[in-house]
Amino acid sequence: MRTVSTDLRTALLTRDWEALAAGAGSRTREARLAAVLTGLRAGDDEAVLATLPDDPGEGMRYLGDLARWRTGTLADVRGPRLAAAFGRLHRDDVVTVATVQKSGTHWMRFFLTNYARALDDPQVDRPISYPQLQQEYYGNNRWQVFREAEPYREPATLLAPHGVSDVTMQHFRHDFDPFAFSPGRKIMLYRNPLDYVVSLFHYTIKQRPQNRDRADHPRDVLEHMLGTYSLHLRTLDSYRDDPDVHVASYESLKADPATRFREVVRFLGLPLVDDAVDRALALSDISTIRELEERTGRSMVVRLDGYFTRDGSIGQWKEYFDDADVERARRVLGSHGLDLEAFTIDG
C-alpha cells in the first residue's frame, strides 16, 4: 500500500528529508512547513521561531511550540501549565495510539487500560466508563492538549513499573506527519477505506444534527473523505519498518483479537498474562461499551444523536455503496497510489 509520489506534499507526510530540504522556502505554505521541519531536524530552533508567520495555524503553531519547548521559552509564551504538559507528552516512555479515525482508537485505549487494571488486580471484573478512562486512567489526547482544547490529565501509574508513563492518543494529519518529533512507541491503526467512509459519515455528519445539511449519504462525501484517508495512509505506511511502531488494521483486530492484542502486549514489552488479556478483551468489547452507553443514555465520547458504538462490523459499506460507488473509490485511491484490493473489505 505504499505510495510512490515524491512531491513536497508527500514528503511532508512521510518525512522525506531530502525532498523537504529541496522544497523548503517561503513562497507556499508547504514550502514554509518544509523549512520549519528541516530546521527542527537540524536543531535550528531559533531560526525556526524567527520564520514563523504571525498567524501560523494550529499545525505550524505546534511546531513552533516544539521549538520553544526545546529552547526553554514555551512557558513564557504559552504558560507553565502547557509547557509542563508538552514535556510530559514528549517523553520516550509515552505510548501513543496513533490512528486513522474510526479504526479502533478507543477499543485499543480501553484494552490497554483494562489490561493495566488486570495486571494490577487479577480479579478485576467491572468495566469502566469512558469518563472514568479519561479522568482516572489514561485520558490524554496529545493534539487536543497541544491546541489547548482539552486539559492535560495526570495518567494512572499502573503501567509505570513496566516502563510506560502514559497511554495517549492522536489522529494523523493531512498536511504533515505530526509524529516526526515524537519519541516513544506507537500503535498505528487503520481501517479499510470503504467502511471508514461509512463510519466517519455517521460520526461527523448523520449523528450530528448541526452537520446534516453537509451530505445526505456516504457517497456524497466519498471523494473528499477518501482523499483525506489516503493522505493519512501515507504517513502510516512510512512507519511500517520502524521498530518502535506497531501497525495493525482494524479488520485484523476484529478477526482474531486474542492473537492481535497479545501482539500489542509483546510489542510494548509488558508482561504477557493470558488471563489478564482475556479479562481486558471482555471488559473492552464493543458489546460491553455499548451496554454502558445504553445505561447512561448517551454517546460515550461526544454528544451524538445515537451511540458512538454504532456498528463495528466489517463490510458495512455494502449497505450504502453500489458497484459504481466502489469503482469511484477505486479510482480515488488509485490516484493516491493505493489499491483497494490490498484491504480487507469483507468480514
mmCIF file of all heavy atoms in Angstrom, residues 84-116:
data_model
loop_
_atom_site.group_PDB
_atom_site.id
_atom_site.type_symbol
_atom_site.label_atom_id
_atom_site.label_comp_id
_atom_site.label_asym_id
_atom_site.label_seq_id
_atom_site.Cartn_x
_atom_site.Cartn_y
_atom_site.Cartn_z
ATOM 1 N N ALA A 84 4.686 22.325 30.839
ATOM 2 C CA ALA A 84 4.888 21.086 31.584
ATOM 3 C C ALA A 84 4.223 19.915 30.884
ATOM 4 O O ALA A 84 4.799 18.823 30.770
ATOM 5 C CB ALA A 84 4.340 21.239 33.003
ATOM 6 N N ALA A 85 2.991 20.133 30.392
ATOM 7 C CA ALA A 85 2.285 19.068 29.670
ATOM 8 C C ALA A 85 3.028 18.707 28.391
ATOM 9 O O ALA A 85 3.141 17.527 28.038
ATOM 10 C CB ALA A 85 0.864 19.520 29.348
ATOM 11 N N PHE A 86 3.545 19.702 27.703
ATOM 12 C CA PHE A 86 4.280 19.478 26.456
ATOM 13 C C PHE A 86 5.467 18.550 26.704
ATOM 14 O O PHE A 86 5.707 17.600 25.956
ATOM 15 C CB PHE A 86 4.755 20.821 25.907
ATOM 16 C CG PHE A 86 4.913 20.863 24.426
ATOM 17 C CD1 PHE A 86 3.873 21.292 23.622
ATOM 18 C CD2 PHE A 86 6.103 20.490 23.825
ATOM 19 C CE1 PHE A 86 4.011 21.345 22.241
ATOM 20 C CE2 PHE A 86 6.260 20.536 22.461
ATOM 21 C CZ PHE A 86 5.211 20.967 21.662
ATOM 22 N N GLY A 87 6.185 18.833 27.768
ATOM 23 C CA GLY A 87 7.333 17.999 28.091
ATOM 24 C C GLY A 87 6.939 16.577 28.435
ATOM 25 O O GLY A 87 7.578 15.616 27.981
ATOM 26 N N ARG A 88 5.898 16.414 29.212
ATOM 27 C CA ARG A 88 5.497 15.073 29.625
ATOM 28 C C ARG A 88 4.972 14.263 28.450
ATOM 29 O O ARG A 88 5.154 13.048 28.398
ATOM 30 C CB ARG A 88 4.449 15.169 30.727
ATOM 31 C CG ARG A 88 4.978 15.841 31.994
ATOM 32 C CD ARG A 88 4.080 15.615 33.181
ATOM 33 N NE ARG A 88 4.065 14.208 33.567
ATOM 34 C CZ ARG A 88 3.385 13.741 34.607
ATOM 35 N NH1 ARG A 88 2.671 14.573 35.346
ATOM 36 N NH2 ARG A 88 3.407 12.456 34.905
ATOM 37 N N LEU A 89 4.328 14.928 27.481
ATOM 38 C CA LEU A 89 3.787 14.212 26.327
ATOM 39 C C LEU A 89 4.842 13.944 25.252
ATOM 40 O O LEU A 89 4.547 13.282 24.258
ATOM 41 C CB LEU A 89 2.611 14.989 25.729
ATOM 42 C CG LEU A 89 1.355 15.027 26.620
ATOM 43 C CD1 LEU A 89 0.303 15.947 26.030
ATOM 44 C CD2 LEU A 89 0.795 13.623 26.825
ATOM 45 N N HIS A 90 6.066 14.438 25.460
ATOM 46 C CA HIS A 90 7.165 14.145 24.547
ATOM 47 C C HIS A 90 8.219 13.249 25.200
ATOM 48 O O HIS A 90 9.348 13.167 24.716
ATOM 49 C CB HIS A 90 7.809 15.440 24.033
ATOM 50 C CG HIS A 90 7.009 16.127 22.965
ATOM 51 N ND1 HIS A 90 5.984 16.998 23.250
ATOM 52 C CD2 HIS A 90 7.063 16.043 21.603
ATOM 53 C CE1 HIS A 90 5.460 17.437 22.114
ATOM 54 N NE2 HIS A 90 6.092 16.881 21.099
ATOM 55 N N ARG A 91 7.851 12.589 26.273
ATOM 56 C CA ARG A 91 8.773 11.648 26.900
ATOM 57 C C ARG A 91 8.872 10.378 26.066
ATOM 58 O O ARG A 91 7.935 10.005 25.354
ATOM 59 C CB ARG A 91 8.287 11.300 28.308
ATOM 60 C CG ARG A 91 8.452 12.424 29.302
ATOM 61 C CD ARG A 91 7.821 12.121 30.642
ATOM 62 N NE ARG A 91 8.216 10.811 31.181
ATOM 63 C CZ ARG A 91 8.179 10.498 32.462
ATOM 64 N NH1 ARG A 91 7.783 11.403 33.350
ATOM 65 N NH2 ARG A 91 8.529 9.297 32.871
ATOM 66 N N ASP A 92 10.013 9.696 26.164
ATOM 67 C CA ASP A 92 10.200 8.499 25.360
ATOM 68 C C ASP A 92 9.563 7.255 25.977
ATOM 69 O O ASP A 92 9.617 6.173 25.380
ATOM 70 C CB ASP A 92 11.678 8.250 25.055
ATOM 71 C CG ASP A 92 12.524 8.067 26.304
ATOM 72 O OD1 ASP A 92 11.959 7.942 27.415
ATOM 73 O OD2 ASP A 92 13.762 8.056 26.177
ATOM 74 N N ASP A 93 8.946 7.390 27.170
ATOM 75 C CA ASP A 93 8.235 6.252 27.734
ATOM 76 C C ASP A 93 6.717 6.406 27.600
ATOM 77 O O ASP A 93 5.948 5.687 28.238
ATOM 78 C CB ASP A 93 8.614 6.031 29.201
ATOM 79 C CG ASP A 93 8.337 7.230 30.090
ATOM 80 O OD1 ASP A 93 7.884 8.273 29.577
ATOM 81 O OD2 ASP A 93 8.579 7.122 31.315
ATOM 82 N N VAL A 94 6.288 7.351 26.754
ATOM 83 C CA VAL A 94 4.869 7.519 26.447
ATOM 84 C C VAL A 94 4.501 6.612 25.273
ATOM 85 O O VAL A 94 5.232 6.537 24.278
ATOM 86 C CB VAL A 94 4.549 8.989 26.096
ATOM 87 C CG1 VAL A 94 3.152 9.123 25.514
ATOM 88 C CG2 VAL A 94 4.691 9.866 27.335
ATOM 89 N N VAL A 95 3.372 5.935 25.391
ATOM 90 C CA VAL A 95 2.819 5.136 24.298
ATOM 91 C C VAL A 95 1.683 5.926 23.667
ATOM 92 O O VAL A 95 0.832 6.472 24.381
ATOM 93 C CB VAL A 95 2.298 3.775 24.805
ATOM 94 C CG1 VAL A 95 1.503 3.057 23.718
ATOM 95 C CG2 VAL A 95 3.454 2.916 25.288
ATOM 96 N N THR A 96 1.671 6.014 22.343
ATOM 97 C CA THR A 96 0.614 6.739 21.648
ATOM 98 C C THR A 96 -0.149 5.795 20.728
ATOM 99 O O THR A 96 0.445 5.089 19.908
ATOM 100 C CB THR A 96 1.190 7.899 20.816
ATOM 101 O OG1 THR A 96 1.900 8.791 21.681
ATOM 102 C CG2 THR A 96 0.073 8.666 20.118
ATOM 103 N N VAL A 97 -1.471 5.791 20.882
ATOM 104 C CA VAL A 97 -2.348 5.099 19.943
ATOM 105 C C VAL A 97 -2.613 6.102 18.818
ATOM 106 O O VAL A 97 -3.378 7.052 18.976
ATOM 107 C CB VAL A 97 -3.652 4.649 20.620
ATOM 108 C CG1 VAL A 97 -4.547 3.907 19.620
ATOM 109 C CG2 VAL A 97 -3.349 3.768 21.824
ATOM 110 N N ALA A 98 -1.929 5.916 17.702
ATOM 111 C CA ALA A 98 -1.931 6.863 16.582
ATOM 112 C C ALA A 98 -2.757 6.271 15.449
ATOM 113 O O ALA A 98 -2.392 5.222 14.908
ATOM 114 C CB ALA A 98 -0.496 7.125 16.121
ATOM 115 N N THR A 99 -3.835 6.956 15.068
ATOM 116 C CA THR A 99 -4.792 6.265 14.205
ATOM 117 C C THR A 99 -5.381 7.129 13.104
ATOM 118 O O THR A 99 -5.503 8.345 13.226
ATOM 119 C CB THR A 99 -5.966 5.727 15.052
ATOM 120 O OG1 THR A 99 -6.669 6.841 15.631
ATOM 121 C CG2 THR A 99 -5.487 4.818 16.167
ATOM 122 N N VAL A 100 -5.792 6.431 12.052
ATOM 123 C CA VAL A 100 -6.794 6.946 11.134
ATOM 124 C C VAL A 100 -8.117 6.900 11.901
ATOM 125 O O VAL A 100 -8.398 5.925 12.598
ATOM 126 C CB VAL A 100 -6.876 6.075 9.871
ATOM 127 C CG1 VAL A 100 -8.005 6.541 8.958
ATOM 128 C CG2 VAL A 100 -5.544 6.078 9.123
ATOM 129 N N GLN A 101 -8.913 7.938 11.796
ATOM 130 C CA GLN A 101 -10.171 7.966 12.555
ATOM 131 C C GLN A 101 -11.020 6.729 12.266
ATOM 132 O O GLN A 101 -10.985 6.166 11.171
ATOM 133 C CB GLN A 101 -10.982 9.212 12.204
ATOM 134 C CG GLN A 101 -10.547 10.472 12.939
ATOM 135 C CD GLN A 101 -11.499 11.618 12.680
ATOM 136 O OE1 GLN A 101 -11.392 12.286 11.656
ATOM 137 N NE2 GLN A 101 -12.415 11.867 13.600
ATOM 138 N N LYS A 102 -11.799 6.337 13.278
ATOM 139 C CA LYS A 102 -12.762 5.247 13.174
ATOM 140 C C LYS A 102 -12.091 3.915 12.874
ATOM 141 O O LYS A 102 -12.629 3.077 12.145
ATOM 142 C CB LYS A 102 -13.830 5.564 12.117
ATOM 143 C CG LYS A 102 -14.474 6.938 12.250
ATOM 144 C CD LYS A 102 -15.042 7.167 13.640
ATOM 145 C CE LYS A 102 -16.204 6.248 13.958
ATOM 146 N NZ LYS A 102 -16.694 6.451 15.345
ATOM 147 N N SER A 103 -10.909 3.712 13.434
ATOM 148 C CA SER A 103 -10.151 2.482 13.186
ATOM 149 C C SER A 103 -9.871 1.692 14.465
ATOM 150 O O SER A 103 -8.946 0.894 14.503
ATOM 151 C CB SER A 103 -8.826 2.817 12.486
ATOM 152 O OG SER A 103 -9.038 3.392 11.223
ATOM 153 N N GLY A 104 -10.657 1.934 15.506
ATOM 154 C CA GLY A 104 -10.451 1.190 16.738
ATOM 155 C C GLY A 104 -9.640 1.929 17.786
ATOM 156 O O GLY A 104 -9.104 1.299 18.703
ATOM 157 N N THR A 105 -9.581 3.252 17.673
ATOM 158 C CA THR A 105 -8.796 4.048 18.626
ATOM 159 C C THR A 105 -9.206 3.756 20.069
ATOM 160 O O THR A 105 -8.369 3.432 20.925
ATOM 161 C CB THR A 105 -8.982 5.550 18.349
ATOM 162 O OG1 THR A 105 -8.755 5.813 16.964
ATOM 163 C CG2 THR A 105 -8.033 6.380 19.207
ATOM 164 N N HIS A 106 -10.488 3.896 20.343
ATOM 165 C CA HIS A 106 -10.948 3.750 21.724
ATOM 166 C C HIS A 106 -10.992 2.290 22.158
ATOM 167 O O HIS A 106 -10.834 2.001 23.354
ATOM 168 C CB HIS A 106 -12.296 4.446 21.887
ATOM 169 C CG HIS A 106 -12.226 5.924 21.631
ATOM 170 N ND1 HIS A 106 -11.401 6.755 22.337
ATOM 171 C CD2 HIS A 106 -12.847 6.704 20.709
ATOM 172 C CE1 HIS A 106 -11.517 7.996 21.880
ATOM 173 N NE2 HIS A 106 -12.386 7.981 20.892
ATOM 174 N N TRP A 107 -11.198 1.401 21.229
ATOM 175 C CA TRP A 107 -11.105 -0.020 21.555
ATOM 176 C C TRP A 107 -9.706 -0.334 22.081
ATOM 177 O O TRP A 107 -9.545 -0.987 23.113
ATOM 178 C CB TRP A 107 -11.419 -0.852 20.312
ATOM 179 C CG TRP A 107 -11.483 -2.336 20.538
ATOM 180 C CD1 TRP A 107 -11.622 -2.998 21.725
ATOM 181 C CD2 TRP A 107 -11.441 -3.346 19.527
ATOM 182 N NE1 TRP A 107 -11.665 -4.362 21.518
ATOM 183 C CE2 TRP A 107 -11.547 -4.603 20.176
ATOM 184 C CE3 TRP A 107 -11.315 -3.313 18.135
ATOM 185 C CZ2 TRP A 107 -11.528 -5.811 19.483
ATOM 186 C CZ3 TRP A 107 -11.307 -4.519 17.451
ATOM 187 C CH2 TRP A 107 -11.417 -5.746 18.112
ATOM 188 N N MET A 108 -8.683 0.159 21.387
ATOM 189 C CA MET A 108 -7.307 -0.071 21.831
ATOM 190 C C MET A 108 -7.052 0.619 23.167
ATOM 191 O O MET A 108 -6.388 0.058 24.067
ATOM 192 C CB MET A 108 -6.321 0.431 20.774
ATOM 193 C CG MET A 108 -4.853 0.181 21.104
ATOM 194 S SD MET A 108 -4.425 -1.574 21.267
ATOM 195 C CE MET A 108 -4.608 -2.113 19.540
ATOM 196 N N ARG A 109 -7.542 1.831 23.343
ATOM 197 C CA ARG A 109 -7.352 2.539 24.602
ATOM 198 C C ARG A 109 -8.008 1.793 25.764
ATOM 199 O O ARG A 109 -7.425 1.660 26.844
ATOM 200 C CB ARG A 109 -7.922 3.955 24.505
ATOM 201 C CG ARG A 109 -7.196 4.862 23.529
ATOM 202 C CD ARG A 109 -7.873 6.214 23.466
ATOM 203 N NE ARG A 109 -7.664 6.971 24.700
ATOM 204 C CZ ARG A 109 -8.499 7.919 25.139
ATOM 205 N NH1 ARG A 109 -9.620 8.186 24.473
ATOM 206 N NH2 ARG A 109 -8.232 8.569 26.241
ATOM 207 N N PHE A 110 -9.239 1.328 25.546
ATOM 208 C CA PHE A 110 -9.918 0.568 26.590
ATOM 209 C C PHE A 110 -9.162 -0.723 26.897
ATOM 210 O O PHE A 110 -8.997 -1.099 28.057
ATOM 211 C CB PHE A 110 -11.359 0.244 26.183
ATOM 212 C CG PHE A 110 -12.369 1.253 26.632
ATOM 213 C CD1 PHE A 110 -12.934 2.140 25.722
ATOM 214 C CD2 PHE A 110 -12.759 1.334 27.953
ATOM 215 C CE1 PHE A 110 -13.872 3.076 26.129
ATOM 216 C CE2 PHE A 110 -13.692 2.266 28.375
ATOM 217 C CZ PHE A 110 -14.251 3.143 27.461
ATOM 218 N N PHE A 111 -8.683 -1.401 25.844
ATOM 219 C CA PHE A 111 -7.951 -2.646 26.089
ATOM 220 C C PHE A 111 -6.702 -2.392 26.929
ATOM 221 O O PHE A 111 -6.455 -3.097 27.921
ATOM 222 C CB PHE A 111 -7.558 -3.328 24.785
ATOM 223 C CG PHE A 111 -6.604 -4.476 25.012
ATOM 224 C CD1 PHE A 111 -7.073 -5.708 25.463
ATOM 225 C CD2 PHE A 111 -5.233 -4.314 24.830
ATOM 226 C CE1 PHE A 111 -6.187 -6.751 25.728
ATOM 227 C CE2 PHE A 111 -4.347 -5.357 25.089
ATOM 228 C CZ PHE A 111 -4.838 -6.578 25.547
ATOM 229 N N LEU A 112 -5.899 -1.425 26.541
ATOM 230 C CA LEU A 112 -4.652 -1.174 27.278
ATOM 231 C C LEU A 112 -4.934 -0.740 28.713
ATOM 232 O O LEU A 112 -4.221 -1.135 29.649
ATOM 233 C CB LEU A 112 -3.822 -0.125 26.550
ATOM 234 C CG LEU A 112 -3.241 -0.566 25.197
ATOM 235 C CD1 LEU A 112 -2.580 0.602 24.488
ATOM 236 C CD2 LEU A 112 -2.263 -1.715 25.371
ATOM 237 N N THR A 113 -5.965 0.054 28.898
ATOM 238 C CA THR A 113 -6.326 0.468 30.258
ATOM 239 C C THR A 113 -6.812 -0.724 31.069
ATOM 240 O O THR A 113 -6.406 -0.920 32.227
ATOM 241 C CB THR A 113 -7.412 1.556 30.208
ATOM 242 O OG1 THR A 113 -6.906 2.695 29.509
ATOM 243 C CG2 THR A 113 -7.827 1.971 31.607
ATOM 244 N N ASN A 114 -7.686 -1.532 30.491
ATOM 245 C CA ASN A 114 -8.196 -2.696 31.214
ATOM 246 C C ASN A 114 -7.118 -3.751 31.430
ATOM 247 O O ASN A 114 -7.142 -4.471 32.440
ATOM 248 C CB ASN A 114 -9.397 -3.286 30.477
ATOM 249 C CG ASN A 114 -10.656 -2.460 30.683
ATOM 250 O OD1 ASN A 114 -10.936 -2.019 31.790
ATOM 251 N ND2 ASN A 114 -11.397 -2.227 29.614
ATOM 252 N N TYR A 115 -6.160 -3.826 30.505
ATOM 253 C CA TYR A 115 -5.045 -4.746 30.717
ATOM 254 C C TYR A 115 -4.190 -4.276 31.897
ATOM 255 O O TYR A 115 -3.773 -5.089 32.746
ATOM 256 C CB TYR A 115 -4.188 -4.872 29.461
ATOM 257 C CG TYR A 115 -3.164 -5.986 29.555
ATOM 258 C CD1 TYR A 115 -3.565 -7.311 29.590
ATOM 259 C CD2 TYR A 115 -1.799 -5.706 29.635
ATOM 260 C CE1 TYR A 115 -2.637 -8.346 29.696
ATOM 261 C CE2 TYR A 115 -0.869 -6.724 29.736
ATOM 262 C CZ TYR A 115 -1.295 -8.046 29.762
ATOM 263 O OH TYR A 115 -0.383 -9.063 29.879
ATOM 264 N N ALA A 116 -3.969 -2.973 31.978
ATOM 265 C CA ALA A 116 -3.235 -2.424 33.123
ATOM 266 C C ALA A 116 -3.984 -2.712 34.422
ATOM 267 O O ALA A 116 -3.371 -3.075 35.441
ATOM 268 C CB ALA A 116 -3.046 -0.912 32.943
#
